[in-house]
Amino acid sequence: MDQFPALLLLAPLFAAFVIFIAGWQGRNIHFPMGVLALAVSAASCLGLLFQVMAEGPIRYRLGGWAPPMGIEYYVDHLTAMVLVVVSAIALVNLIATRKLIEDEYSGKVPVFYTLYMLAVAGHLGIVVTGDAFNLYVLLEISALSGYALLAMGRARAALSTLRYLFMGTVGASFYLLGVGYLYIMTGSLNMQDLATIIPAISSSPAILAAFGMIMVGVWIKSAFFPLHSWLPGAYGDAGNPAAGLIAPLTTKVMVYVMIRIVFTVLSPEMVFSIPDLSNIIVWLASAAIVLTSFSALAQRNVKRMLTYILISEVGYMVGGFWLGNRTGITGAVLHILNDAVMTFCVFLAAGAIMYKLGSTRFEDIKGLFNKMPLTMGCFVIGALAMIGVPPTCGFFSKWYLVSGGFEAGHYQFVAALIMSSLVNIILFFRIFEIAYFEPFAEGHGHGHATHTGAAVDEAPWSLIVPLMITAAALIAIGLYTGVIVDNVISPAIPADIV
Amino acid sequence: MDGIFQELIIPKYNYWAYIVLMMVGLYAMIAKKNLVKKVIGMNIFQTAIILFYVSIGAKTDATIPILYHDAVHGDHHAEEHVDGHGEEAPHGEIVHESADHGDEHGEAESHGEAHGAAIQAKDYINPLPHVLMLTAIVVSVATLGVALALMLKIYNRHQTLNEDEILNQLSSD
């Protein structure tokens, strides 16, 4: 019980070594081992969530070393929620994509699982750590394993990933530089310790410079609007099992880091009182939402289109957070949860389509409702959540964001949200139209002579069941939004934000 | 003009050096078409930050943070102690404090060992940034490794490392 914070990180890390060594010796224990490790991790995260809800924030000393010298893991409501999201999605994706992984990475399966475990450990570590430098190290662990996972995709993947690597390294370096400035000013790297030292020197330009650099670094990593150019290529060209893990998680985890830095390291009142800063960021977020929605319109491939929607969702979260009022921040935090699950849902559906058709281009998905009714049904639920139709969860976070925008007087943000919802309607209904009304293209793609357009040919059950669970979760999260907001999100937001 | 030079550039040369290096690296990453040159730029960029960290641990007239049994530093000839970045630095004072902060624990632990002789944090450079950079160096080596592996994959496929040529090949596919 007391060791949950260490266990949730060590289980996948340990599994990575075991899987690698076993795979090297030709033994195939990767799947049970991976599922076991991620199940332990997810159970620890759930346990932590209940522990935090019962007792308040938990501070865990790694190796028993006292902070600020030792590294501390800090778990509050926000951390616990993001931990549960990350570990659950990682586990479900691993189970769902078993066949896809064997299909897509034959010969490299144990290596893929090793990298997968490392990436999960990195993401969980970023969330749970309470040490600014440790966060950098875990950021790079997740990023490096992520590069390797993404690069195992199709022909373009290597170049796209190399571009992501350049951008990602610059982002992480900016973060590191910002931490260096904080260290010069305070002599500490522990976030809680920093929080006690910084208020006395918060007017110093060096602190502001540190804050600016950390934010730029985090925004590059989370693909916030002007810094997003790496994302569509890196995620769009990657293999589906890798994209299914990284696309829902990385951007959300980085938005979490932004919130953590503002809430814990600096104080919200200091950050939100920097003149014009929040205005500029909300404007940028509005521009991000509108422009990337229109970029999505130009795509002729389901997966590519989803990557642009993903960027516009980052705009929702960053903009909602910088509205600076309680409603907006609640919306942003809730959207971390919702967007992670709905992105996962649509990417998994796209993975299933890719597995069956070998393509996700619009011209290849004609008549798909007849061929893969369950997959497309789940895709529809995911799409409705992204559009924001009640009772799916997407509606509720959007509602909070819109009300927050009105409260803060940022009408352009409200307009951008509504515009983006409208564009999402066009985006997804265009796909529905192609896949529902247009007859299945005979002889296209694989060109099997025996193809009968109407025959049901679903993805394997091991994929369909997790996909259906995810789609059901979208509705369940929507229905229980009130419970989640009251018990998890409200306590996560500092009381002085109104 | 002279004042600016005296106050902003000379005492803080280490910061200027890291900024210049960083910009060199960034320029290479943006402007060069050859992927190897981009990777070299990325490495320069990372090294600049490593140098920045190493330089903030340095102090004038300070030595490596190892305590000898017979404390050889009885005479504290460093009353007008200046750290490496100049006393005029707006946060120069705090740099000292941060060093103190970092060394307090070491001091407390080793009091007995050093025969109770007063151990001043200002006599020792701050080792923590250097230790942090050991990790950062490992990270940058790993990044370099991944980047080189990706380039190998690209080269095997396209027989070139020029980004424009690769994009041409990809678009004609």
Side-chain angles (χ1 to χ4, degrees):
Chain A
M1 288 292 278
D2 296 340
Q3 303 297 328
F4 278 157
L7 196 61
L8 69 92
L9 189 57
L10 290 180
L13 206 55
F14 181 68
F17 288 107
V18 173
I19 290 170
F20 182 72
I21 291 168
W24 196 23
Q25 298 187 332
R27 259 179 279 172
N28 287 329
I29 55 163
H30 43 262
F31 186 73
M33 189 70 203
V35 170
L36 177 73
L38 291 185
V40 168
S41 197
S44 312
C45 293
L46 259 182
L48 266 180
L49 179 66
F50 288 119
Q51 229 171 321
V52 167
M53 271 157 55
E55 299 160 24
I58 296 167
R59 305 181 70 166
Y60 177 86
R61 293 173 175 185
L62 205 64
W65 294 87
M69 292 302 117
I71 288 170
E72 183 188 49
Y73 282 179
Y74 177 77
V75 184
D76 65 5
H77 291 80
L78 177 62
T79 316
M81 184 193 89
V82 180
L83 283 176
V84 171
V85 173
V86 171
S87 58
I89 288 182
L91 175 63
V92 176
N93 186 51
L94 191 75
I95 296 170
T97 55
R98 182 181 185 180
K99 286 249 168 55
L100 275 66
I101 292 171
E102 278 160 11
D103 193 49
E104 207 158 334
Y105 308 104
S106 57
K108 290 184 266 183
V109 175
V111 181
F112 182 89
Y113 276 84
T114 308
L115 290 166
Y116 192 101
M117 292 297 137
L118 286 175
V120 176
H123 282 105
L124 290 170
I126 293 173
V127 180
V128 79
T129 188
D131 184 278
F133 186 78
N134 195 233
L135 199 155
Y136 165 75
V137 177
L138 289 158
L139 195 67
E140 287 290 35
I141 290 176
S142 66
L144 286 169
S145 43
Y147 303 144
L149 286 174
L150 293 172
M152 288 165 90
R154 271 163 299 135
R156 302 179 70 105
L159 184 65
S160 308
T161 310
L162 192 61
R163 287 176 163 178
Y164 174 28
L165 185 142
F166 289 142
M167 288 294 277
T169 305
V170 171
S173 299
F174 267 109
Y175 175 83
L176 181 62
L177 203 53
V179 170
Y181 277 48
L182 285 182
Y183 180 72
I184 291 179
M185 297 302 291
T186 63
S188 180
L189 292 168
N190 180 289
M191 290 184 187
Q192 303 289 319
D193 197 34
L194 282 169
T196 57
I197 302 171
I198 287 175
I201 47 172
S202 62
S203 56
S204 145
I207 293 286
L208 286 181
F211 175 63
M213 286 185 200
I214 290 178
M215 282 298 126
V216 169
V218 171
W219 286 334
I220 292 178
K221 284 273 188 185
S222 64
F224 183 51
F225 164 55
L227 311 166
H228 67 277
S229 58
W230 55 268
L231 191 144
Y235 291 0
D237 296 335
N240 288 298
L245 173 75
I246 292 171
L249 297 187
T250 304
T251 51
K252 258 55 73 181
V253 165
M254 293 322 293
V255 171
Y256 162 84
V257 171
M258 178 186 80
I259 298 176
R260 168 96 311 162
I261 296 287
V262 172
F263 276 179
T264 308
V265 177
L266 305 148
S267 64
E269 78 240 66
M270 170 206 153
V271 172
F272 290 136
S273 66
I274 298 171
D276 293 333
L277 183 65
S278 51
N279 268 335
I280 294 168
I281 294 170
V282 174
W283 270 105
L284 271 180
S286 313
I289 294 168
V290 173
L291 293 176
T292 46
S293 290
F294 282 113
S295 307
L297 267 178
Q299 305 304 315
R300 302 290 301 162
N301 182 326
V302 177
K303 217 168 135 199
R304 275 268 161 175
M305 188 194 90
L306 293 177
T307 59
Y308 280 96
I309 296 176
L310 187 61
I311 302 170
S312 110
E313 304 279 339
V314 174
Y316 288 23
M317 288 177 276
V318 175
F321 179 73
W322 283 90
L323 291 174
N325 58 36
R326 202 170 184 87
T327 323
I329 294 175
T330 306
V333 174
L334 184 61
H335 206 67
I336 292 182
L337 165 70
N338 293 348
D339 188 39
V341 183
M342 62 204 195
T343 309
F344 176 59
C345 181
V346 289
F347 265 85
L348 202 56
I353 297 170
M354 189 80 188
Y355 179 71
K356 274 290 156 198
L357 299 186
S359 161
T360 52
R361 280 178 305 174
F362 284 176
E363 56 267 31
D364 295 339
I365 59 168
K366 288 172 186 163
L368 205 56
F369 273 96
N370 291 327
K371 191 170 150 68
M372 306 174 73
L374 293 174
T375 307
M376 286 311 287
C378 297
F379 185 79
V380 168
I381 296 176
L384 292 181
M386 288 205 143
I387 295 166
V389 179
T392 55
C393 59
F395 170 75
F396 297 96
S397 45
K398 232 171 231 179
W399 182 260
Y400 275 107
L401 290 170
V402 167
S403 345
F406 275 121
E407 267 176 48
H410 282 295
Y411 299 110
Q412 84 282 11
F413 185 65
V414 176
L417 283 173
I418 293 169
M419 172 91 105
S420 148
S421 303
L422 293 176
V423 174
N424 277 358
I425 294 176
I426 301 173
L427 287 171
F428 284 112
F429 276 83
R430 195 170 52 168
I431 294 178
F432 300 161
E433 191 192 325
I434 296 172
Y436 196 83
F437 291 111
E438 295 192 27
F440 192 79
E442 290 285 339
H444 196 87
H446 297 299
H448 295 302
T450 51
H451 246 334
T452 46
V456 173
D457 184 17
E458 266 293 354
W461 284 106
S462 62
L463 201 163
I464 294 295
V465 173
L467 182 60
M468 278 158 56
I469 293 172
T470 312
L474 285 175
I475 297 172
I477 293 171
L479 294 177
Y480 287 97
T481 297
V483 180
I484 296 170
V485 168
D486 288 344
N487 290 311
V488 180
I489 297 176
S490 287
I493 301 171
D496 52 348
I497 296 174
V498 284
Chain B
M1 190 62 208
D2 224 26
I4 291 171
F5 200 69
Q6 291 284 322
E7 279 179 24
L8 272 179
I9 298 185
I10 293 179
K12 294 175 183 159
Y13 66 91
N14 57 326
Y15 296 141
W16 287 104
Y18 104 76
I19 289 172
V20 168
L21 275 176
M22 221 172 118
M23 291 306 125
V24 169
L26 208 54
Y27 171 78
M29 289 172 79
I30 295 168
K32 294 294 170 190
K33 285 291 166 201
N34 187 313
L35 292 176
V36 178
K37 289 182 180 167
K38 278 180 188 270
V39 170
I40 293 172
M42 181 185 83
N43 241 21
I44 295 174
F45 187 87
Q46 287 177 304
T47 310
I49 293 167
I50 293 172
L51 289 176
F52 158 74
Y53 263 84
V54 169
S55 76
I56 63 176
K59 295 174 204 167
T60 322
D61 290 334
T63 180
I64 48 171
I66 296 173
L67 292 174
Y68 294 101
H69 259 298
D70 44 336
V72 280
H73 38 268
D75 55 326
H76 290 294
H77 53 82
E79 260 125 27
E80 11 132 62
H81 205 78
V82 205
D83 73 301
H85 328 306
E87 58 209 317
E88 300 298 312
H91 45 261
E93 291 300 310
I94 302 163
V95 172
H96 282 287
E97 273 178 31
S98 77
D100 288 343
H101 189 88
D103 282 0
E104 261 169 12
H105 299 252
E107 203 181 330
E109 277 164 20
S110 46
H111 252 309
E113 204 184 337
H115 309 295
I119 292 159
Q120 301 282 335
K122 63 182 178 184
D123 291 337
Y124 299 99
I125 60 165
N126 182 356
L128 186 69
H130 303 183
V131 179
L132 296 181
M133 282 312 104
L134 281 179
T135 315
I137 289 168
V138 173
V139 167
S140 83
V141 169
T143 315
L144 181 65
V146 174
L148 290 176
L150 288 176
M151 284 199 304
L152 206 59
K153 210 175 158 186
I154 294 169
Y155 187 80
N156 282 338
R157 193 182 149 81
H158 299 285
Q159 302 301 318
T160 175
L161 284 171
N162 184 308
E163 207 179 1
D164 288 342
E165 289 174 25
I166 296 169
L167 288 176
N168 277 337
Q169 287 190 22
L170 281 173
S171 59
S172 64
D173 277 353

